[in-house]
């Protein structure tokens, strides 16, 4: 007996995304017309900031090195989400292979965890710069910076591999996902059963993010105390810490909206749930480079210099 093409569609090797089931063709086209420019803008802004930091020797300082890693992480998250979402918007099958879903899940978990590791390391850097300015360069030595950059990427990579591997521990009994992207919890919900080890690790994921959150709050509490005693520290805070604080709050708000859709999925419409769930993947990557480009004086000066150069003006 020959199997039909529909058998392949419903097989465990293909997953069906149901997040767009309520969307008509007009809604898809409208959303696509916003999503594609947003993705291209995200790439342009982050790539520009990365190149400015990479080619400008004066910016080869710990703060800008960590910022460069944040931009790379934002590019990873955007590229893990947007291309596949754009395909969904222009097709009616809304299918993704299990292999593609696994890769997307790995990338998105790396991105989500990487936002917290990046912002936590940047909080350490600002805390030392403001509270221990005379010892800053001895504390933030090249070895320390390399160690922190290694941590920024190794921890998310470990968490991603573990989370997705555990989600695939048991066979899949379902093939329909109500989210626009794959991540470990989506895969876990498709499994035939779940065990206590998976639940324990998921608890560890949430606890680790809570620890990063509290760590950043404590860092800023120490910074604010230091700023009360010094006008110079207050100027440093406004020029270098405000962008970081804005990025941190946007990430927290995006994560909160994503969690809200998970716990209140039944009370939200499909369209509202989809919009809220993708905030963490769409807003921070485009806002971060804008905020840092505007607020950080050396980067702002370099951007203005580029646009005022004769070559640009003669175009």
């Amino acid at each position: 007996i020959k199997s039909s093409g529909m058998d392949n569609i419903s097989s465990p090797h293909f997953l069906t995304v149901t997040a767009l089931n309520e969307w008509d063709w007009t809604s898809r086209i409208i959303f696509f017309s916003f999503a594609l420019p947003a993705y291209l803008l995200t790439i342009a802004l982050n790539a520009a900031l990365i190149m400015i930091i990479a080619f400008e020797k004066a910016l080869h300082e710990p703060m800008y090195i960590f910022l460069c890693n944040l931009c790379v992480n934002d590019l990873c998250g955007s590229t893990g989400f947007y291309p596949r979402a754009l395909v969904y918007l222009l097709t009616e099958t809304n299918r993704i292979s299990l292999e593609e879903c696994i890769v997307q899940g790995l990338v998105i978990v790396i991105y989500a965890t990487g936002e917290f590791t990046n912002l936590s390391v940047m909080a350490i850097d600002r805390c030392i710069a403001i509270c221990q300015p005379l010892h800053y360069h001895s504390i933030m030595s090249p070895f320390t910076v390399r160690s922190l950059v290694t941590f920024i990427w190794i921890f998310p990579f470990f968490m991603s591999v573990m989370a997705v591997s555990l989600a695939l521990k048991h066979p899949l009994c379902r093939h329909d996902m109500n989210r626009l992207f794959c991540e470990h919890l989506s895969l876990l919900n498709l499994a035939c059963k779940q065990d206590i080890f998976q639940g324990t690790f998921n608890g560890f994921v949430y606890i680790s993010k809570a620890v990063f959150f509290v760590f950043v709050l404590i860092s800023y509490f120490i910074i604010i105390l230091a700023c009360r005693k010094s006008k110079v520290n207050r100027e440093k805070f406004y020029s270098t810490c405000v962008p970081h604080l804005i990025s941190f709050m946007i990430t927290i708000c995006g994560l909160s909206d994503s969690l809200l859709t998970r716990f209140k999925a039944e009370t939200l419409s499909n369209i509202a749930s989809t919009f809220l769930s993708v905030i963490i993947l769409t807003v921070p990557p485009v806002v971060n480079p804008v905020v840092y480009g505007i607020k950080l004086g050396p980067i702002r000066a370099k951007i203005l210099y580029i646009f005022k150069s004769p070559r640009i003006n003669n175009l």
Side-chain angles (χ1 to χ4, degrees):
I1 301 173
K2 294 183 179 180
S3 61
S4 64
M6 291 302 292
D7 291 331
N8 291 329
I9 294 176
S10 60
S11 71
H13 295 290
F14 286 89
L15 306 177
T16 303
V17 176
T18 62
L20 299 176
N21 282 359
E22 296 180 6
W23 294 46
D24 57 24
W25 184 246
T26 303
S27 300
R28 288 170 180 252
I29 293 298
I30 291 173
F31 192 76
F32 180 89
S33 65
F34 283 100
L36 180 59
Y39 178 43
L40 297 177
L41 181 64
T42 300
I43 293 175
L45 291 174
N46 284 281
L49 214 57
I50 291 169
M51 287 190 290
I52 287 172
I53 294 171
F55 292 114
E56 187 65 28
K57 289 185 178 181
L59 299 179
H60 292 180
E61 295 288 334
M63 179 178 69
Y64 299 105
I65 292 171
F66 300 142
L67 174 58
C68 187
N69 279 271
L70 180 65
C71 291
V72 172
N73 188 59
D74 287 342
L75 280 178
C76 290
S78 299
T79 304
F81 167 70
Y82 272 110
R84 195 68 214 181
L86 293 171
V87 171
Y88 293 148
L89 291 169
L90 292 182
T91 59
E92 296 182 359
T93 54
N94 298 338
R95 290 191 306 140
I96 183 172
S97 69
L98 180 58
E99 292 78 10
E100 288 177 296
C101 187
I102 292 170
V103 172
Q104 186 181 50
L106 289 169
V107 172
I108 286 179
V109 175
I110 288 174
Y111 159 76
T113 311
E115 288 291 286
F116 281 90
T117 55
N118 268 285
L119 293 172
S120 298
V121 167
M122 292 172 79
I124 294 174
D125 175 72
R126 290 301 85 207
C127 188
I128 296 173
I130 291 176
C131 299
Q132 299 287 334
L134 298 179
H135 303 286
Y136 176 74
H137 289 289
S138 60
I139 296 173
M140 298 301 291
S141 64
F143 174 78
T144 303
V145 172
R146 285 194 296 269
S147 300
L148 290 172
V149 170
T150 301
F151 168 74
I152 283 173
W153 293 105
I154 291 296
F155 185 78
F157 180 79
F158 166 77
M159 295 289 281
S160 178
V161 171
M162 285 295 296
V164 174
S165 299
L166 286 174
L168 297 170
K169 182 179 178 181
H170 301 294
L172 303 183
C173 288
R174 294 173 49 214
H175 61 271
D176 55 319
M177 295 190 307
N178 61 354
R179 294 173 79 84
L180 198 55
F181 55 90
C182 296
E183 35 86 39
H184 69 290
L185 293 178
S186 298
L187 289 169
L188 194 61
N189 290 335
L190 302 180
C192 298
K193 64 177 181 177
Q194 300 178 19
D195 57 43
I196 190 170
F197 190 66
Q198 292 170 323
T200 303
F201 183 79
N202 287 332
F204 172 72
V205 171
Y206 287 115
I207 290 172
S208 65
K209 291 180 179 179
V211 168
F212 287 130
F213 174 73
V214 173
F215 181 82
V216 173
L217 289 183
I218 293 173
S219 298
Y220 271 98
F221 179 73
I222 296 172
I223 290 172
I224 290 170
L225 289 179
C227 289
R228 292 175 59 189
K229 305 174 183 177
S230 170
K231 183 179 178 181
V232 174
N233 285 346
R234 284 196 295 272
E235 291 175 353
K236 282 185 180 180
F237 178 84
Y238 290 129
S239 63
T240 63
C241 294
V242 169
H244 176 265
L245 198 56
I246 292 172
S247 296
F248 179 69
M249 295 308 298
I250 290 172
T251 300
I252 293 299
C253 291
L255 183 65
S256 300
D257 289 333
S258 182
L259 291 174
L260 178 68
T261 62
R262 188 171 298 281
F263 292 113
K264 294 189 176 181
E266 295 180 358
T267 61
L268 294 171
S269 69
N270 204 343
I271 295 177
S273 177
T274 300
F275 270 111
L276 290 174
S277 68
V278 302
I279 287 177
I280 185 66
L281 295 167
T282 56
V283 176
V286 74
V287 172
N288 287 342
V290 172
V291 170
Y292 282 101
I294 292 174
K295 285 295 294 179
L296 294 182
I299 292 179
R300 183 174 66 248
K302 186 63 178 178
I303 293 172
L304 293 174
Y305 173 78
I306 292 172
F307 279 99
K308 288 181 179 179
S309 66
R311 291 181 181 180
I312 297 294
N313 293 331
N314 291 332
L315 289 177

